[in-house]
Amino acid sequence: MVIQDRGNLANARLKGLQTDLNLNDTQYATCISVLFAGYILMQVPSTLIMNAIPKPRLFMATVVGLWGIISALTSLCDNFSDLVVCRFFLGFVEAAFYPSAVYYLSRWYTRKEVGFRIAFLNAGNMLAQGERCSSTSPSTVSRLQGLGGLFAAGILGGMENVKGIRGWRWLYIIEGSITVAFGLLLPFILADYPSSTNWLSDRERVIAQGRLVTDVGIIDNPENDEKSGSGIMRGVLMTISDIKVWALAFMYFTYIMGLSFASYMPTITATLGFSTTITLLLTFPPWAFATVYALANSWHSDRTGDKFWHIAGAYGFAILGYIVALTANTVSGKYVSLFGMCMGYSGGIIILGWISTSIPRPPIKRAASIAFINAFANIGQVRQFISVGLTIAFAYRQYLISQNEKLDRGEAEAYITDEEIVKQSADLVHATIQQEEVLVHSNSHKEDYSHTSLILTRHLEKGVYAYSIITLYLSCGFRSSRLTLKTSTQ
């Protein structure tokens, strides 16, 4: 339901959402990416809350219910501002579910069991693929795929103008209501943690916790100090100072970016030359097959204790799929390549399991690590990624200001010089050595903004020229490849 609610924007676009709300393509793209802004911000805080509370089922039920309500309320949007607000808070609330669910599983299952359970959690995501839209034209096939696409197709096609309400509004109302219903059921389905589940007997509680102690050697139950402000900060510091966390974060980031083909899945399928309905139906089998593969791959990874080679195998299928897609000249070859691409998703699922197995204790660190790695990997999803660059630029500006203040106080030198260089410089401009020394250490030569801007401008000009040449080359190659695809399907 997370993926379906998140992907409804792309599905609703097919039935007039963009037209009804008077969105241009830039505004539509902003609505897509702003969800990830909220999603990234709330990842770590929500998982730390999950670690601290004894009743995780109530927390997760509340989260599911809230995102269902926000999804349903999206049906009331009448303009760009309304939609941006709904999408941001949808991501903000959804952020609390996925990393919390992964952490929740790690509190019940051993290192040889958790990967398979995480695969089951992701099976729903893979079958309901439909997060983002790949096209800028409303008439083009969007990311309607998997079960989410089939479900959305039925609502959009069968409920258009029922009770005078557009089909895309019904899509949000119905799927949001279903999500709320699931949220109401969760408290009666899920258990809490092994140490806090009321309906477990004392013996069962000891067995559940003892399994985890036998697996790692330390009980998996947060201490009281881990739930305090200082304990939480200590857990966060342990997370960001661990090189394993950063390695996993970059690993998962490259996984997200490397398999971004999913954004273009229906567009790729459309090049096979079939009708829109057939195209939508054809997007489901690759994901269904990849889901079965992901479950089998994760199960075997758990049994053997190996992670790397199972990730490598999944990525190998994805790379093979890319190669076949680029070289195949037949419809069957192109379609088979989609299966290989989708199988690559299994690698990322195993990476998530690798977090819990390689950072098992303390619980606060594991919780923060799961959330941080997932948040870091999704940074690339935000089209407003330029804001990160702006933040870095501001930090750099403040650094230069502090350096200039040190120069003014005589606590630093603008340049590292020696007498020979000063003499050569003085001879070049026909000045005395004393004059040149004053000039070297004067404010006019320190690292100020004008000097920095001049250097950056020169580099920027070179970068723009290089980028223009590369873009021209790639665009020509891309257009020719599209021409080849269209010709081969006619």
Side-chain angles (χ1 to χ4, degrees):
M1 294 308 299
V2 173
I3 300 299
Q4 285 189 217
D5 286 343
R6 184 190 300 175
N8 278 342
L9 186 66
N11 299 339
R13 190 187 193 192
L14 291 174
K15 285 296 183 178
L17 175 143
Q18 186 171 0
T19 303
D20 290 354
L21 272 57
N22 297 314
L23 305 179
N24 58 41
D25 291 337
T26 301
Q27 290 174 323
Y28 177 77
T30 300
C31 291
I32 292 174
S33 60
V34 75
L35 178 142
F36 290 98
Y39 186 76
I40 292 167
L41 287 174
M42 195 56 184
Q43 291 263 313
V44 175
S46 63
T47 311
L48 294 177
I49 292 172
M50 184 78 171
N51 176 71
I53 61 176
K55 300 293 182 183
R57 61 191 174 92
L58 299 180
F59 176 75
M60 296 177 75
T62 302
V63 167
V64 173
L66 284 175
W67 97 53
I69 291 171
I70 295 172
S71 180
L73 289 176
T74 307
S75 64
L76 302 177
C77 291
D78 290 320
N79 53 52
F80 171 65
S81 300
D82 293 347
L83 190 57
V84 165
V85 172
C86 281
R87 292 285 293 180
F88 175 81
F89 282 104
L90 184 64
F92 195 79
V93 175
E94 279 186 10
F97 180 77
Y98 186 70
S100 297
V102 173
Y103 175 70
Y104 172 81
L105 292 174
S106 74
R107 289 287 297 270
W108 277 96
Y109 296 101
T110 67
R111 289 178 295 175
K112 284 189 173 293
E113 299 169 341
V114 71
F116 186 51
R117 275 70 186 183
I118 293 175
F120 260 107
L121 176 66
N122 281 273
N125 294 352
M126 294 177 70
L127 291 174
Q129 281 292 326
E131 304 173 14
R132 292 162 292 179
C133 180
S134 62
S135 169
T136 56
S137 171
S139 62
T140 305
V141 178
S142 185
R143 254 196 95 196
L144 271 171
Q145 59 192 61
L147 290 178
L150 298 176
F151 191 66
I155 297 175
L156 293 172
M159 299 202 66
E160 179 66 22
N161 290 323
V162 173
K163 302 290 185 179
I165 300 174
R166 293 296 308 271
W168 68 265
R169 295 186 188 273
W170 277 117
L171 179 65
Y172 279 107
I173 293 170
I174 293 174
E175 292 198 355
S177 300
I178 293 174
T179 303
V180 172
F182 272 109
L184 295 175
L185 289 174
L186 279 182
F188 305 99
I189 298 174
L190 290 180
D192 290 313
Y193 295 131
S195 60
S196 60
T197 300
N198 294 331
W199 47 264
L200 286 179
S201 66
D202 291 339
R203 173 177 166 75
E204 289 171 334
R205 193 173 290 112
V206 169
I207 292 173
Q209 295 182 81
R211 294 172 67 250
L212 302 177
V213 172
T214 304
D215 181 43
V216 176
I218 303 175
I219 191 170
D220 191 29
N221 195 18
E223 300 291 338
N224 288 331
D225 65 333
E226 288 188 21
K227 302 175 184 179
S228 65
S230 60
I232 290 173
M233 285 304 301
R234 186 166 60 253
V236 172
L237 289 175
M238 283 191 294
T239 297
I240 62 177
S241 62
D242 191 341
I243 191 172
K244 297 194 303 295
V245 173
W246 287 101
L248 288 163
F250 277 101
M251 197 187 311
Y252 200 52
F253 175 83
T254 56
Y255 154 78
I256 295 288
M257 295 297 98
L259 291 174
S260 59
F261 78 91
S263 300
Y264 305 91
M265 182 83 162
T267 303
I268 296 171
T269 310
T271 64
L272 300 178
F274 298 104
S275 66
T276 299
T277 302
I278 298 299
T279 296
L280 295 178
L281 294 174
L282 287 175
T283 58
F284 180 64
W287 287 113
F289 182 82
T291 301
V292 175
Y293 169 75
L295 291 171
N297 198 31
S298 295
W299 176 84
H300 193 262
S301 174
D302 280 351
R303 299 287 288 184
T304 61
D306 171 77
K307 304 299 180 187
F308 172 77
W309 291 111
H310 289 77
I311 295 172
Y315 286 3
F317 281 116
I319 293 171
L320 183 62
Y322 289 144
I323 294 173
V324 173
L326 291 170
T327 59
N329 294 318
T330 63
V331 171
S332 59
K334 291 186 176 69
Y335 188 59
V336 168
S337 71
L338 299 179
F339 285 77
M341 294 180 193
C342 294
M343 290 169 71
Y345 268 69
S346 174
I349 294 172
I350 293 176
I351 291 174
L352 288 172
W354 210 353
I355 302 171
S356 297
T357 59
S358 59
I359 310 174
R361 300 290 186 276
I364 183 68
K365 181 181 178 182
R366 186 172 77 248
S369 298
I370 291 170
F372 174 78
I373 291 167
N374 196 55
F376 183 88
N378 279 280
I379 287 176
Q381 306 278 23
V382 184
R383 272 61 169 184
Q384 292 93 346
F385 196 44
I386 193 171
S387 61
V388 178
L390 184 61
T391 302
I392 296 172
F394 178 77
Y396 186 61
R397 174 183 179 274
Q398 297 305 114
Y399 170 77
L400 292 181
I401 290 175
S402 67
Q403 290 298 105
N404 288 344
E405 290 173 349
K406 289 182 179 180
L407 288 171
D408 292 337
R409 295 192 299 267
E411 297 174 1
E413 293 184 353
Y415 310 105
I416 299 176
T417 62
D418 58 38
E419 293 181 358
E420 183 61 29
I421 293 177
V422 173
K423 183 178 183 303
Q424 292 177 5
S425 301
D427 292 341
L428 183 65
V429 296
H430 305 291
T432 65
I433 293 177
Q434 290 76 15
Q435 290 174 327
E436 189 63 20
E437 286 178 341
V438 171
L439 186 61
V440 166
H441 299 297
S442 67
N443 289 340
S444 61
H445 274 73
K446 67 185 178 183
E447 293 187 63
D448 62 9
Y449 313 124
S450 60
H451 182 248
T452 304
S453 299
L454 178 61
I455 295 174
L456 291 177
T457 301
R458 290 173 179 172
H459 284 292
L460 180 61
E461 289 174 350
K462 295 177 182 177
V464 169
Y465 294 145
Y467 178 80
S468 300
I469 295 171
I470 293 172
T471 303
L472 179 62
Y473 173 78
L474 291 178
S475 63
C476 290
F478 179 68
R479 288 171 183 167
S480 63
S481 64
R482 288 182 61 188
L483 181 61
T484 302
L485 284 174
K486 290 181 178 179
T487 304
S488 63
T489 57
Q490 292 176 350

